[in-house]
Amino acid sequence: TDADRVPPPEPEISPEPESKPEAVADIADDADDADDADDADDADDAEAHEDEGSVVVDPDAEVLKRAVSTALRAVKKVLVEEQGTLLDGIRQSGGDAISMVVEDEDGHAKPYESATEPALVALAEALGGTGDTSTLEVGFAQIRAVALAPVRRRLLEVCEVSSDADELSDTVRGLYRETRSRRLPNAVAAAVAAVRGAIAISTASGDVRWEIDPAGPCGPDCADNALAGPIAAGSPFPTGALHPPTDPNCTCRLVAV
């Protein structure tokens, strides 16, 4: 009968696992986060030590930076004034106005050399040398070769194919814009590097060696010079160069041995 039936036992319910209080859980999470952060810091420190081992620290970096900044401001001002004068001349006399830049190389370079001279003299003195004429000339030669010669060549090419004042003016604006943004910075950096190299030679008491910046853009020529090892200061390296730069992008330096 229904009365005689024994009801089935109720299923046992397992107790819920004891949960950590929220505060304890938060502390545990914080500890895990701290461990992760420590691991990340350790990895960063290891990378930093690796980087430090591969970077060549240049003791003259700030002096060079100041010289480049000062000289670049000065020559950019000269360039802007020259562009304005040239555009005014083109409006009045067309291509004849360009002759003042194309025909007189020394006259064209003189304002730029005068503008850079104070910065280059200060650089030479800061490096333990003097801003004598021979030292400054190696810097001026870079300004002429890297920045001014390409401007004159391009202006001469334009004059040979056009006498239209508007076309000439457009060409001058584009050419001087490119010179201001690219050629002058490269030329000034090369001038500073050249003066530094000349000072390294003049102040050396024995041999010097060519040192490459591992992070720099230098190529096979600089590598050949570096492989030559120590040579007498003022003697040519394998490429014929007496000192850096070998090109406008060269970031090498001479080191006294």
Side-chain angles (χ1 to χ4, degrees), residues 179-200:
T179 301
R180 184 171 62 252
S181 64
R182 183 174 63 85
R183 290 194 183 96
L184 275 185
N186 288 344
V188 168
V192 167
V195 169
R196 184 196 198 186
I199 293 297

Side-chain angles (χ1 to χ4, degrees), residues 208-234:
V208 294
R209 61 182 174 83
W210 191 289
E211 184 175 273
I212 296 178
D213 176 4
C218 295
D221 284 350
C222 293
D224 288 343
N225 291 338
L227 289 172
I231 69 168

Side-chain angles (χ1 to χ4, degrees), residues 9-202:
E10 295 182 0
E12 294 184 2
I13 300 176
S14 301
E16 293 183 3
E18 183 179 354
S19 61
K20 296 179 182 178
E22 289 186 5
V24 175
D26 290 341
I27 292 174
D29 291 341
D30 291 343
D32 292 339
D33 291 342
D35 289 340
D36 292 341
D38 289 341
D39 292 341
D41 290 340
D42 291 341
D44 290 341
D45 290 341
E47 290 179 2
H49 288 308
E50 291 178 2
D51 291 342
E52 289 173 2
S54 63
V55 173
V56 176
V57 177
D58 189 340
D60 302 322
E62 287 302 318
V63 173
L64 300 175
K65 181 179 179 181
R66 183 164 60 250
V68 169
S69 176
T70 302
L72 186 56
R73 283 198 302 270
V75 293
K76 281 186 174 181
K77 182 178 179 181
V78 174
L79 185 76
V80 170
E81 292 174 352
E82 180 182 293
Q83 178 182 344
T85 301
L86 191 53
L87 290 174
D88 287 341
I90 289 173
R91 282 192 290 269
Q92 296 174 12
S93 57
D96 292 341
I98 293 179
S99 62
M100 72 172 190
V101 174
V102 173
E103 295 177 0
D104 187 0
E105 179 180 346
D106 291 338
H108 182 217
K110 186 173 180 56
Y112 293 91
E113 295 173 352
S114 298
T116 57
E117 182 172 348
L120 297 182
V121 170
L123 170 66
E125 293 175 348
L127 296 176
T130 60
D132 58 22
T133 301
S134 61
T135 298
L136 294 179
E137 283 296 332
V138 300
F140 294 160
Q142 295 293 331
I143 299 292
R144 291 187 180 215
V146 178
L148 304 185
V151 168
R152 288 196 307 277
R153 284 197 300 269
R154 179 58 181 149
L155 289 176
L156 182 59
E157 291 171 358
V158 173
C159 285
E160 291 176 347
V161 298
S162 176
S163 59
D164 181 76
D166 290 338
E167 184 175 347
L168 291 174
S169 295
D170 289 343
T171 300
V172 166
R173 291 189 185 94
L175 176 62
Y176 278 65
R177 181 168 54 250
E178 181 184 9
T179 301
R180 184 171 62 252
S181 64
R182 183 174 63 85
R183 290 194 183 96
L184 275 185
N186 288 344
V188 168
V192 167
V195 169
R196 184 196 198 186
I199 293 297
I201 291 174
S202 66

